[in-house]
Amino acid sequence: MKDKFISTLLETKEFKNSLYAILKHSFLYHSNKIEGSKFTTEELALLLDKDVVTGRHTLDDVQETVNSSYVFDTIIETLGEKINDSFLKKLHSSLMFNTTMHVRGYAGIYKTIPNMIIGTKAKVAQPFEVQSKLDELLEWYYNLDNITLENISEFHYRFELIHPFQDGNGRIGRFLMLKQMLENNLPMKIISWDTEDLYRSSLNICSEGNYKPLENYIDGLEDFRVEYKFLWEF
């Protein structure tokens, strides 16, 4: 039986000020702001609702914000479909379309140059390790019997430690977390930009086999389902 939250989400996709619109705005505002977007919540609402850009923004900020809107739609449209290489590359290609990364040829492909997670000392995978580590992660995830918040925390940490793309890994990782929470009828937690330092520090103190810091951080966030239950519990 389909979860009522998911059913309402799908049914309200074309309506303004609906469950779909509010989740989309909230998720994109926080996830993009963590990565340096300068869009205010009001400016983002104008862009999403009326295709109007206000304020002063770089071209990449505008393009990536527009692109992230399409990636959000893709996540919802593909609920129930497995994450694989082609899915990951499609998300990244969409997110980076017409940006500097796209022009440089880095959109929709795994990284070719070593990178890192800004704000942490974590040692991420080298380019030649990406494919095997992603294969291992996805095999582990899809062999789980009952996916929990603990499992999703582990997946997110391990994905970020692989850091498979040249840029955009944080946003892709959070999009995957959104997909996983929705697919498994779990509390809907949105990583908020105003707790960015705590988010990064929890990633920083996790280690292989110890994902509790990130799980505790995510568990402590507000549950979007509860906060907006009046939009779907009727």
Side-chain angles (χ1 to χ4, degrees), residues 118-167:
I118 299 299
T120 77
K121 298 177 182 178
K123 182 180 179 181
V124 304
Q126 291 293 311
F128 68 87
E129 298 176 299
V130 167
Q131 188 65 67
S132 62
K133 287 183 177 293
L134 278 177
D135 290 344
E136 181 182 348
L137 175 60
L138 292 172
E139 182 180 6
W140 164 79
Y141 181 76
Y142 284 112
N143 278 322
L144 294 170
D145 293 326
N146 182 38
I147 295 172
T148 64
L149 179 61
E150 180 181 4
N151 300 140
I152 292 175
S153 300
E154 178 175 348
F155 184 99
H156 186 69
Y157 175 77
R158 290 173 63 181
F159 180 84
E160 294 306 324
L161 211 61
I162 297 170
H163 234 52
F165 299 103
Q166 211 63 65
D167 189 29

Side-chain angles (χ1 to χ4, degrees), residues 67-123:
N67 292 346
S68 66
S69 173
Y70 293 121
V71 176
F72 180 93
D73 293 340
T74 298
I75 290 294
I76 304 303
E77 290 164 2
T78 58
L79 289 177
E81 296 182 18
K82 284 190 173 183
I83 301 165
N84 56 28
D85 283 331
S86 60
F87 182 77
L88 289 173
K89 290 176 180 179
K90 177 183 177 181
L91 291 186
H92 191 261
S93 181
S94 296
L95 182 64
M96 294 299 169
F97 179 70
N98 270 351
T99 66
T100 302
M101 294 298 292
H102 178 259
V103 172
R104 292 175 178 171
Y106 293 118
I109 66 169
Y110 293 144
K111 65 185 177 185
T112 58
I113 302 170
N115 56 4
M116 64 177 294
I117 305 173
I118 299 299
T120 77
K121 298 177 182 178
K123 182 180 179 181

